[in-house]
Amino acid sequence: MTGLAIDDISMRFELPKGGSVQALKNVSLDLKPGELMSVLGPSGCGKTTLLNIVAGFLAPTEGKVVLNGETVVGPAAERGMVFQQGALFEWMSVRDNVGFGPKMKGMAPGEKREIVDHLLDVTGLGDFKEKAIYELSGGMQQRVALARCLANDPDVILMDEPLGALDALTREKMQGLVLKLWRETGKTIILITHSVEEALLLGERLLVMAPRPGRIHKEYRLPFADMGVNADLREVKKHEDYNPTREEILSMIWNMEEEIMGRSETSA
Ligand SMILES: Nc1ncnc2c1ncn2[C@@H]1O[C@H](COP(=O)(O)OP(=O)(O)OP(=O)(O)O)[C@@H](O)[C@H]1O
Ligand SMILES: [Mg+2]
């Protein structure tokens, strides 16, 4: 049994002062190896919670996550995480950051060097191998984060707003890089984003979540990620289905946010 199964996950956080928050309710999802899924939804709908459960950082109150037939019981190298920012070793060189996982695994130095050099070349960091992280721009740091994740050769890559802190132009370039790496490595990827455009461009499957309690609202299967592997993303946006789908999802999320605000006004 290969692939990732999220099987009827519910998550309730008990609050220290009493009461609880139902962050997720009955979320089920299957991803085949190599699928790329983007996840959208209003703030607080449980996206990060779901990713943390798949990563093994949090144990769900109900349900389970199964990867390649094995139930997830904690973090492991088979599930790599890329955060929005700040998860690199600032004082170490680019090379040492990317080689950290292979080193911890006890990989022979020659083999490690080969893997690290290759990943730094494909992420366009070939000329920056010996630089320290704090010397790099935000976009370059996120490329290091991607390379470091890939160096562990995970089956699944989990990304929580990986491009959220970047300027628009760098972000667009990075979206192209994510698609290129996806195609070249065949990894299963779950990518959370607040950008509807990014979710459309990168999501072969696009999941819209709804809040209170967090649950799956709607799923789309889209052609744009496949198209974007070989074409300029600006060309992909000219596809006749792109704008109508974008409008539909924008109003879906807008309506959810209106409803949340309405509810909190009446409860206030
Ligand atoms: N450790 C925790 N303790 C208590 N409540 C929590 C905890 N973590 C998350 N929550 C609550 O669970 C709900 C879902 O949070 P989560 O961070 O998963 O949302 P999100 O969809 O990632 O939001 P955003 O888009 O703002 O990042 C929220 O109501 C949040 O307040
Ligand atoms: Mg979040």
Side-chain angles (χ1 to χ4, degrees):
M1 214 176 37
T2 58
L4 178 72
I6 295 171
D7 183 9
D8 207 16
I9 292 282
S10 295
M11 184 74 203
R12 177 182 286 276
F13 290 106
E14 300 299 331
L15 302 175
K17 291 182 178 169
S20 61
V21 178
Q22 184 80 46
L24 294 170
K25 190 149 176 66
N26 303 118
V27 174
S28 288
L29 197 64
D30 284 306
L31 273 99
K32 292 199 192 79
E35 281 189 325
L36 170 45
M37 173 176 267
S38 56
V39 183
L40 277 172
S43 185
C45 73
K47 303 179 294 293
T48 296
T49 303
L50 183 62
L51 218 65
N52 282 335
I53 290 171
V54 176
F57 297 145
L58 276 176
T61 32
E62 284 169 59
K64 61 181 189 298
V65 176
V66 181
L67 177 60
N68 300 332
E70 302 273 335
T71 300
V72 165
V73 289
E78 68 196 20
R79 285 160 283 119
M81 193 97 168
V82 178
F83 298 92
Q84 185 170 2
Q85 59 184 21
L88 296 167
F89 303 123
E90 291 276 323
W91 65 94
M92 276 190 197
S93 69
V94 167
R95 176 189 292 289
D96 288 346
N97 264 277
V98 177
F100 189 79
K103 185 178 169 191
M104 287 295 122
K105 257 198 261 177
M107 190 180 282
E111 191 186 351
K112 185 184 88 180
R113 199 176 178 86
E114 210 173 291
I115 288 173
V116 171
D117 283 345
H118 170 69
L119 286 171
L120 291 177
D121 285 341
V122 293
T123 49
L125 290 164
D127 292 337
F128 303 93
K129 291 175 187 168
E130 311 309 331
K131 292 249 187 244
I133 297 302
Y134 64 81
E135 296 178 275
L136 305 181
S137 69
M140 287 156 92
Q141 292 192 13
Q142 284 313 83
R143 281 189 263 158
V144 178
L146 277 171
R148 191 176 69 168
C149 180
L150 286 168
N152 289 318
D153 197 23
D155 293 322
V156 179
I157 301 180
L158 306 166
M159 304 199 210
D160 197 350
E161 282 281 330
L163 313 182
L166 306 178
D167 66 272
L169 205 62
T170 309
R171 187 165 186 163
E172 201 174 302
K173 286 189 188 147
M174 290 291 288
Q175 289 166 347
L177 178 64
V178 169
L179 286 178
K180 177 179 143 193
L181 292 174
W182 169 55
R183 184 47 47 94
E184 279 179 8
T185 61
K187 301 290 181 197
T188 310
I189 301 177
I190 302 180
L191 182 143
I192 294 176
T193 175
H194 278 110
S195 156
V196 175
E197 292 208 349
E198 188 163 280
L200 285 167
L201 290 172
L202 301 188
E204 187 190 18
R205 295 171 66 182
L206 186 160
L207 198 71
V208 181
M209 290 181 64
R212 300 190 180 181
R215 62 197 184 279
I216 294 173
H217 181 69
K218 184 160 179 169
E219 186 185 330
Y220 292 82
R221 287 192 181 255
L222 301 168
F224 312 122
D226 269 327
M227 292 167 60
V229 170
N230 296 313
D232 190 312
L233 295 185
R234 291 187 193 169
E235 289 302 314
V236 175
K237 289 183 195 175
K238 292 180 187 159
H239 188 283
E240 58 179 10
D241 292 341
Y242 182 84
N243 272 325
T245 319
R246 178 171 166 271
E247 289 306 317
E248 180 179 313
I249 295 175
L250 273 171
S251 37
M252 193 182 287
I253 294 176
W254 176 264
N255 287 339
M256 285 183 204
E257 301 213 338
E258 288 280 282
E259 202 184 313
I260 298 169
M261 285 174 70
R263 269 196 253 169
S264 49
E265 272 162 25
T266 41
S267 64

